[in-house]
Amino acid sequence: MKLHCDLCGNKSIFYNRTYEGVKFCKKCFKKNIKEKVRRNISKHSMLSHDDRVAVGVSGGKDSLALLSILHKLSRKHPRSELIAVTIDEGIKNYREEAIKLAKEFCKELGVEQFVFSFKELFGKTLDELVLEKKDELSECSYCGILRRRVLDEAGKRVKANKIVTAHNLDDEIQTFLLNVFHGGIERIARLNVQIPNGQNAFIRKIKPLSEVYEKEVALYAYVSELKFQTIPCPYAANCLRNDIRSMLNQLEEKHPGAKYSCYRSKERLTDVLKKHSGNLEIKNCRICKSPSSSDICEVCRTLCRVST
Ligand code: SF4
Ligand code: ZN
């Protein structure tokens, strides 16, 4: 068995990427992740030289690793600007620490940070909303729907033309499978749809980490000595996503590359479905006037469920 880095020959092995059969030393691993992100950005023309980019920074490993990589890459593009936006859902004994860590890292990099909260936008924290909910929808479903809206709003308020989120490959296939389990085929067709800014619809969202395994993002954060939040959200254990995550981790353990194959299938299926589903019609929500694919947007439907 070879016992050296496949890239530089260094004898100190840090990581074995089993699905590709490649071993890395620390330095080459870090370089490889940055290069993977750079290639993903370039392949999908995610960023241009004079973008004003709002990066969603929660204080977790993914978003801090992403900010660190984008900050390094942006040095080559002096006309582009990075702004960090942090969302405070209002989860007691959890979000406070993450916001503090996000704040400290942004300060260290000299990136301006803005915090937007559920309380400010919806009048209630996530903790308050889930206490009042009378349906079966999980806390994470509430959180996800409302967080997407806050992120859109944050992007508008900081006048960004792109919003970057730290979704990694695991997040992407979990969302895909969640839609499969919930029968959300139309949602799968919309997973990769980019709606042009010109339609006053949504600011373009990009995910530069979408081809990097969650485990590798965590390792990158670790070798970069980033201080990120390690305690899990108190609601995480209740959601189906968590079970899908465990199932995928078990599969990957037994069959290296299973996650990557699932990701490729998702990409192909999304493209095929898109061709057959025609153009997405954007209307304005009758209640909040936000762009929506239906008469009442998902956010207003969710908030109505709590208030009635
Ligand atoms: Fe929100 Fe669920 Fe994530 Fe907690 S685990 S922050 S409730 S999506
Ligand atoms: Zn609405």
Side-chain angles (χ1 to χ4, degrees):
M1 194 168 96
K2 286 187 294 176
L3 279 173
H4 54 78
C5 169
D6 286 307
L7 276 75
C8 75
N10 187 325
K11 293 235 167 59
S12 162
I13 302 299
F14 169 71
Y15 176 64
N16 182 4
R17 183 179 283 154
T18 39
Y19 68 86
E20 277 179 350
V22 182
K23 295 184 190 63
F24 296 93
C25 68
K26 243 185 209 179
K27 205 169 150 204
C28 289
F29 172 76
K30 244 182 117 172
K31 230 164 110 184
N32 176 268
I33 296 295
K34 270 186 279 177
E35 183 52 23
K36 247 179 174 250
V37 173
R38 197 199 57 74
R39 262 187 280 132
N40 200 17
I41 291 174
S42 148
K43 185 168 80 182
H44 299 285
S45 308
M46 291 181 185
L47 295 170
S48 320
H49 293 296
D50 43 12
D51 276 337
R52 186 168 161 85
V53 183
V55 189
V57 181
S58 67
K61 62 183 186 333
D62 303 286
S63 62
L64 295 189
L66 176 66
L67 185 62
S68 152
I69 295 172
L70 290 179
H71 187 254
K72 286 188 179 88
L73 294 178
S74 69
R75 284 193 209 133
K76 291 190 187 134
H77 307 287
R79 289 211 320 268
S80 68
E81 232 182 314
L82 290 182
I83 306 122
V85 294
T86 300
I87 298 175
D88 180 2
E89 301 92 346
I91 305 173
K92 211 162 184 294
N93 300 326
Y94 170 68
R95 199 34 103 205
E96 302 88 342
E97 188 201 14
I99 293 174
K100 184 174 159 271
L101 292 168
K103 207 169 261 175
E104 283 167 5
F105 192 52
C106 290
K107 202 170 161 203
E108 190 183 319
L109 297 183
V111 172
E112 198 173 4
Q113 184 211 29
F114 296 86
V115 181
F116 298 87
S117 70
F118 277 23
K119 185 89 180 174
E120 175 201 349
L121 261 100
F122 309 119
K124 287 188 170 111
T125 63
L126 182 70
D127 285 340
E128 289 165 348
L129 284 165
V130 298
L131 261 183
E132 291 171 24
K133 79 183 180 80
K134 298 170 195 83
D135 56 16
E136 293 305 308
L137 216 59
S138 71
E139 290 88 354
C140 291
S141 302
Y142 272 84
C143 185
I145 291 165
L146 301 181
R147 183 147 28 88
R148 278 194 291 278
R149 171 62 56 84
V150 180
L151 200 55
D152 281 324
E153 190 55 35
K156 274 189 225 155
R157 290 201 195 173
V158 303
K159 298 191 170 41
N161 67 325
K162 303 264 170 70
I163 293 176
V164 186
T165 61
H167 294 91
N168 56 49
L169 184 141
D170 293 52
D171 295 324
E172 292 293 279
I173 56 175
Q174 287 159 16
T175 302
F176 167 61
L177 291 177
L178 268 170
N179 284 318
V180 171
F181 286 120
H182 285 145
I185 298 302
E186 298 79 14
R187 277 174 183 273
I188 293 174
R190 293 205 300 254
L191 279 178
N192 291 353
V193 172
Q194 293 297 343
I195 298 158
N197 289 350
Q199 206 180 336
N200 171 38
F202 306 102
I203 299 173
R204 183 179 170 192
K205 291 208 186 77
I206 53 175
K207 303 170 186 175
L209 295 180
S210 63
E211 301 208 345
V212 187
Y213 275 32
E214 179 174 23
K215 178 168 109 181
E216 298 190 359
V217 181
L219 281 174
Y220 182 90
Y222 166 73
V223 287
S224 307
E225 297 178 4
L226 303 178
K227 285 192 203 108
F228 54 87
Q229 189 175 38
T230 49
I231 55 161
C233 170
Y235 299 121
N238 308 344
C239 61
L240 178 57
R241 182 182 284 274
N242 220 32
D243 297 326
I244 294 177
R245 171 183 286 124
S246 310
M247 178 194 80
L248 287 167
N249 284 344
Q250 278 173 24
L251 263 179
E252 181 71 26
E253 187 71 35
K254 266 180 115 172
H255 309 282
K259 286 183 188 175
Y260 204 72
S261 304
C262 184
Y263 178 77
R264 286 280 161 242
S265 300
K266 174 202 83 96
E267 293 285 284
R268 282 207 293 273
L269 187 62
T270 309
D271 285 345
V272 171
L273 285 173
K274 241 182 346 191
K275 277 189 198 128
H276 292 281
S277 58
N279 283 337
L280 182 64
E281 195 200 339
I282 298 294
K283 311 169 183 182
N284 284 98
C285 168
R286 276 201 261 134
I287 299 175
C288 71
K289 311 289 176 236
S290 290
S292 163
S293 55
S294 51
D295 289 339
I296 308 284
C297 75
E298 216 179 5
V299 170
C300 288
R301 273 180 299 178
T302 305
L303 292 174
C304 283
R305 278 201 292 271
V306 178
S307 58
T308 49

